[in-house]
Amino acid sequence: MTVADELPETPENESEEPIKQRKNGLYPGVSDELAENMRSGWADTELHDLKPVAQAAETAARRAALSARFPGERLVVPAGNLKTRSNDTEYAFRASVEYAYLTGNQTEDGVLVLEPTAEGHRATIYLLPRSDRENGEFWLSGQGELWVGRRLSLTEAGKLYGIPAADVRELPEALKEATGPVRVVRGYDAGVEAALHDKVTAERDEELRVYLSEARLVKDEFEIGELQKAVDSTVRGFEDVVKVLDKAEATSERYIEGTFFLRARVEGNDVGYGTIAAAGPHACTLHWVRNDGPVRSGDLLLLDAGVETHTYYTADVTRTLPVNGTYSDVQKRVYDAVYEAQEAGIAAVKPGAAYRDFHDAAQRVLAERLVEWGLVEGPVERVLELGLQRRWTLHGTGHMLGMDVHDCAAARTETYVAGTLEPGMVLTVEPGLYFQADDLTVPEEYRGVGVRIEDDILVTEDGNRNLSAGLPRRSDEVEAWMASLKG
């Protein structure tokens, strides 16, 4: 990998900020002749007849709702900036959910501004324009187009996203001069926040963040379609993994992680979160993402993974699979208990139900099995009242799902955990039982056994729909499915 050199100052560019040069670059400068040569001889690549992105109507409706909620206030929603991974390399960029939700755009340094008008708000999307060929930025800057790829022109962006586009480099000065009430989504763009430091308050900005989180609780038809796409790709990713379990046994959990990642990158944008490929006792570590352990015949593999679509919607599915294709007696006993708990949880997902009903239903089943097996003293009501089952169930039974794997996290408690389910909400139902390898309170045969089953459930008008029903869940169906894939 190489990095461009700095353009020497000339009468044409002496007033501009110099393009940063790597300390140990091999070229000391640019001759006048080369600079002149690079300015010319390039075809016009402006894209014409562009159609709006698929979600343009939905993003417009979301902006209209936002405008109605905060009349008379300037609203600023940044995409965020590149983050350094090491030295002069950056992490892959992912725009802020709030920005992508309202625009459909995913470009670093972008900022959506809603400026108040008598009729509501005027939206402008601020972006970096095409690289400048006059000053050489397009080939000399490490972020120039010859290094990182073509950017949209402002005209192209306006057509694609249905929002007038302007040069983001002009925005800080405009924000400094802004008058009247302003709110900004914090935590993504320090430069934008610095320009607004004397115009905003933490309390008012938090109200904006909370609103945008709660706005995503109920998904529109576009979002439901994207979540189904994410789940369908995820199902294929799980099939990929089962087909290569022999190679994972010969290497490590990372073969599983890499196999699923290939599907995510081919069919989507990325994985929606770090893949959990937890074999053997690692299944008892809830967020096991090191994925560097052995995969052994006779052990269980807990695979918690989700493909993220190109529009940032992610699946979140878990299956606990016998590496050799067949559950042992103890593994099946634990698995079937978790399956029964998940069945009870899914049945409780319906419009008008309290959000936490599915959690309570699943926990009751798990508590009943723990009492039945003699692992905790009953009665069940006592176990639930004291939360004694949590030693082995550990986590909540689900969460909202969408553009974040744990979506709508900033929503108020009364609209989320203490709220009521509505059609269009999408949530996971994922009970689990985890018997740690060093847990002396359970018989030795249970130790190191961890099971979770997770599906993505859409609340419908008359109940629910399991978006991830394409993956078998019942233990005998899982064994038959694995045998068919290996065969």
Side-chain angles (χ1 to χ4, degrees):
M1 181 179 184
T2 59
V3 177
D5 296 295
E6 179 182 354
L7 178 67
E9 290 190 357
T10 67
E12 291 81 10
N13 61 39
E14 61 186 0
S15 63
E16 298 188 16
E17 184 177 340
I19 295 170
K20 186 176 181 181
Q21 178 184 10
R22 190 175 66 176
K23 180 178 180 181
N24 288 304
L26 292 175
Y27 291 105
V30 176
S31 69
D32 292 343
E33 290 77 9
L34 177 57
E36 181 59 35
N37 177 278
M38 292 298 289
R39 287 190 187 101
S40 61
W42 303 99
D44 179 7
T45 60
E46 183 75 10
L47 302 175
H48 303 282
D49 302 320
L50 290 173
K51 297 190 181 336
V53 294
Q55 69 269 43
E58 285 79 9
T59 55
R62 296 165 193 166
R63 293 193 301 275
L66 175 62
S67 173
R69 172 61 181 81
F70 298 103
E73 303 186 49
R74 183 176 276 99
L75 308 173
V76 183
V77 184
N81 316 123
L82 291 172
K83 291 182 172 62
T84 299
R85 181 180 185 272
S86 178
N87 189 22
D88 57 357
T89 62
E90 292 83 24
Y91 287 104
F93 180 74
R94 188 181 191 274
S96 75
V97 164
E98 294 87 350
Y99 175 85
Y101 178 75
L102 292 169
T103 66
N105 179 256
Q106 301 174 8
T107 307
E108 66 267 20
D109 302 323
V111 184
L112 172 68
V113 177
L114 270 62
E115 186 175 348
T117 66
E119 295 77 29
H121 284 84
R122 179 175 63 253
T124 304
I125 187 171
Y126 287 85
L127 302 167
L128 279 173
R130 295 290 308 279
S131 283
D132 191 336
R133 304 213 174 202
E134 281 301 308
N135 75 354
E137 179 262 339
F138 80 108
W139 71 287
L140 291 170
S141 167
Q143 292 301 319
E145 290 186 358
L146 289 193
W147 293 95
V148 299
R150 185 186 187 277
R151 295 197 287 260
L152 292 171
S153 73
L154 299 180
T155 300
E156 291 167 347
K159 291 178 181 178
L160 280 174
Y161 304 109
I163 311 170
D167 191 335
V168 72
R169 293 171 296 190
E170 301 169 359
L171 181 60
E173 201 58 39
L175 292 178
K176 289 177 184 177
E177 297 174 0
T179 59
V182 183
R183 297 178 192 255
V184 63
V185 178
R186 299 191 181 200
Y188 297 116
D189 193 315
V192 167
E193 291 179 36
L196 293 170
H197 75 279
D198 59 344
K199 306 176 190 300
V200 296
T201 67
E203 181 181 5
R204 289 162 52 79
D205 292 347
E206 180 64 10
E207 288 176 354
L208 174 60
R209 188 173 80 101
V210 168
Y211 169 81
L212 290 172
S213 195
E214 293 183 357
R216 303 198 308 274
L217 283 168
V218 175
K219 271 58 180 178
D220 57 39
E221 287 304 313
F222 175 84
E223 294 178 289
I224 293 169
E226 289 300 291
L227 284 167
Q228 187 65 68
K229 281 185 198 174
V231 169
D232 292 345
S233 289
T234 298
V235 169
R236 290 188 283 273
F238 274 69
E239 292 172 348
D240 296 339
V241 166
V242 171
K243 292 175 182 177
V244 300
L245 280 177
D246 58 332
K247 294 183 174 63
E249 287 188 65
T251 52
S252 75
E253 295 163 337
R254 294 208 170 163
Y255 203 97
I256 294 164
E257 177 187 349
T259 298
F260 187 85
F261 181 68
L262 177 61
R263 178 67 66 174
R265 286 293 278 168
V266 168
E267 296 192 359
N269 177 57
D270 205 334
V271 288
Y273 53 95
T275 296
I276 299 169
H282 288 162
C284 299
T285 301
L286 299 186
H287 289 166
W288 177 259
V289 292
R290 300 179 202 169
N291 299 336
D292 58 0
V295 179
R296 298 188 179 99
S297 179
D299 281 348
L300 295 176
L301 166 68
L302 190 156
L303 178 59
D304 185 336
V307 171
E308 177 185 85
T309 67
H310 294 291
T311 56
Y312 287 175
Y313 290 86
T314 184
D316 183 7
V317 178
T318 305
R319 291 293 183 269
T320 306
L321 312 172
V323 173
N324 63 11
T326 304
Y327 295 102
S328 71
D329 290 343
V330 170
Q331 291 169 352
K332 186 175 186 302
R333 183 184 314 146
V334 176
Y335 186 96
D336 288 349
V338 174
Y339 171 79
E340 185 184 350
Q342 194 199 28
E343 283 282 274
I346 293 173
V349 175
K350 54 191 173 184
Y355 172 83
R356 64 174 302 116
D357 283 355
F358 75 94
H359 169 72
D360 293 340
Q363 289 291 300
R364 175 170 290 276
V365 172
L366 295 178
E368 288 171 350
R369 294 298 156 265
L370 291 168
V371 171
E372 176 186 313
W373 298 338
L375 302 184
V376 64
E377 182 182 348
V380 170
E381 293 299 336
R382 168 184 170 273
V383 173
L384 293 170
E385 181 182 356
L386 299 177
L388 301 179
Q389 83 285 358
R390 292 181 61 186
R391 181 181 178 103
W392 303 285
T393 66
L394 295 176
H395 55 80
T397 309
H399 51 80
M400 292 294 181
L401 184 67
M403 297 181 84
D404 281 327
V405 65
H406 297 144
D407 208 27
C408 313
R412 293 168 294 170
T413 300
E414 58 265 32
T415 63
Y416 190 161
V417 174
T420 301
L421 295 180
E422 300 177 39
M425 290 181 171
V426 180
L427 58 146
T428 67
V429 178
E430 50 175 313
L433 281 174
Y434 313 92
F435 299 104
Q436 305 298 325
D438 59 351
D439 188 349
L440 301 181
T441 70
V442 300
E444 187 174 358
E445 60 181 351
Y446 286 93
R447 297 174 198 166
V449 174
V451 173
R452 180 163 67 251
I453 312 172
E454 177 180 20
D455 285 270
D456 302 341
I457 310 298
L458 167 67
V459 183
T460 61
E461 294 289 343
D462 57 357
N464 69 66
R465 183 168 88 237
N466 185 350
L467 301 179
S468 45
L471 275 179
R473 289 188 297 126
R474 212 173 61 205
S475 57
D476 59 334
E477 293 175 341
V478 170
E479 291 176 338
W481 169 70
M482 293 183 68
S484 70
L485 291 172
K486 289 183 175 183

